[in-house]
Amino acid sequence: TLLSCIDVSGTGGNETAVFQTAIGTEYFIYVTNYNANNTLTGEFRINYTCTSITTPTNSSCNNPIVLSCGATNQAGSTFGATQSTNISPNCAKTTGVWYSFVGNGQNVQVSTNTTSLWDQAIAIYSGTCAAPSLIACVNNSNAGLNMNESYTLATTVGVTYRIFVSSSTSGTNPNGNFNISLTCVNAPVNQFCAQASSLPCGTTNLAGSTVGVIPSTLPSGLCSISRYGAWYSFTGDGTTTTISATTSGFDIKLVIFSGTCTAASLIVCKDAVSSGVESHTFNTVNGTQYFVYIAH
């Protein structure tokens, strides 16, 4: 039964496997050339270290490690963790550790990377420990060293968010070591359709940005375009209207539609230049709401 298959270093490098043993179980270690078809042999030294396992202080939802913006590669481990309750099924195993942070209105990226061979998963919750509300279940990478899991969410000021790190439901190794980071970014206020910025007639050279946004849910009926964009809206007045967006070094697409944030009546998708001006002129209908979406 395979527990670890480690091959992250080249010639002269070290390979290390970390795992939790079961009492009385016999384990085998096989050392060989990394290439299954290569007959090269060589000498090496092997070390076998045993470390007693203690329950992590953050093994309980009620006692999480509090993270702040800018936390980078903070070491963590699920070895010795106890079981948690109210973990969403099909997301993560119930044995893991907890972290928390308080929303500040920014977009916050939670990311982990493994430092031992195991298939990690991240569950992110709001609400209380007794009644957590699942925001995201992240398990995009397979088992392996230096595999990353990451999720970015738009936070609400004052809301406490909880992060549960454990083995994925499909992971063979129940525990492992990892690093966790928390990155906060000031995102444009118009990163979602529901928060579209007003674009009154006569607007000139209004600065915009898609830096730091998280993916939007795009309405049905749009053309193919990135979900990382900025939103604007205006009400038609029956006149001939020109919408233009200018950029340098960033290949944008300009989308104009009427309708709603869930169902669009497409007017145009403009993607004529790789870096410059995207523009469209059309006749508006008095009283009709229009949306403008700009993204890669």
Side-chain angles (χ1 to χ4, degrees):
T1 300
L2 181 66
L3 295 180
S4 291
C5 181
I6 309 297
D7 180 28
V8 296
S9 299
T11 301
N14 299 323
E15 305 292 356
T16 302
V18 181
F19 60 98
Q20 184 173 347
T21 63
I23 295 176
T25 297
E26 185 175 17
Y27 296 89
F28 295 88
I29 302 138
Y30 182 59
V31 183
T32 185
N33 191 285
Y34 80 96
N35 189 331
N37 298 317
N38 197 310
T39 60
L40 286 177
T41 58
E43 297 179 348
F44 61 90
R45 297 178 184 272
I46 190 167
N47 299 296
Y48 172 35
T49 303
C50 301
T51 304
S52 60
I53 296 174
T54 58
T55 300
T57 58
N58 59 332
S59 189
S60 167
C61 178
N62 292 309
N63 191 36
I65 292 176
V66 178
L67 298 175
S68 301
C69 289
T72 303
N73 289 332
Q74 185 169 318
S77 176
T78 64
F79 286 116
T82 57
Q83 286 193 329
S84 292
T85 58
N86 299 322
I87 300 301
S88 297
N90 303 319
C91 177
K93 290 184 177 178
T94 57
T95 302
V97 290
W98 291 90
Y99 297 84
S100 72
F101 67 94
V102 177
N104 55 9
Q106 294 179 299
N107 286 348
V108 176
Q109 181 189 62
V110 179
S111 60
T112 62
N113 70 284
T114 60
T115 55
S116 59
L117 188 77
W118 68 308
D119 188 3
Q120 62 185 311
I122 308 173
I124 301 175
Y125 299 91
S126 60
T128 64
C129 290
S133 177
L134 182 66
I135 295 173
C137 178
V138 187
N139 181 29
N140 297 318
S141 298
N142 295 320
L145 285 173
N146 300 319
M147 290 296 181
N148 301 321
E149 301 291 357
S150 179
Y151 186 79
T152 303
L153 67 155
T155 65
T156 300
V157 175
V159 171
T160 297
Y161 298 89
R162 293 175 170 82
I163 306 161
F164 182 67
V165 183
S166 76
S167 174
S168 73
T169 54
S170 59
T172 56
N173 283 357
N175 292 296
N177 298 325
F178 61 90
N179 294 320
I180 188 167
S181 301
L182 197 71
T183 305
C184 304
V185 178
N186 281 321
V189 295
N190 59 339
Q191 63 178 330
F192 301 123
C193 181
Q195 286 84 45
S197 295
S198 175
L199 193 66
C201 188
T203 298
T204 303
N205 289 330
L206 176 65
S209 175
T210 61
V211 175
V213 303
I214 64 176
S216 289
T217 299
L218 300 180
S220 59
L222 288 194
C223 50
S224 176
I225 189 172
S226 170
R227 293 171 57 207
Y228 296 81
W231 294 86
Y232 302 86
S233 69
F234 66 95
T235 302
D237 57 6
T239 63
T240 299
T241 298
T242 298
I243 304 293
S244 62
T246 305
T247 183
S248 176
F250 173 47
D251 187 1
I252 60 171
K253 180 182 284 190
L254 171 68
V255 179
I256 305 172
F257 66 93
S258 60
T260 67
C261 289
T262 56
S265 178
L266 183 64
I267 294 172
V268 71
C269 281
K270 294 301 291 284
D271 185 24
V273 296
S274 60
S275 181
V277 180
E278 301 289 356
S279 180
H280 182 68
T281 300
F282 66 107
N283 295 323
T284 64
V285 176
N286 189 40
T288 296
Q289 186 177 23
Y290 296 90
F291 291 91
V292 178
Y293 179 65
I294 299 172
H296 189 272

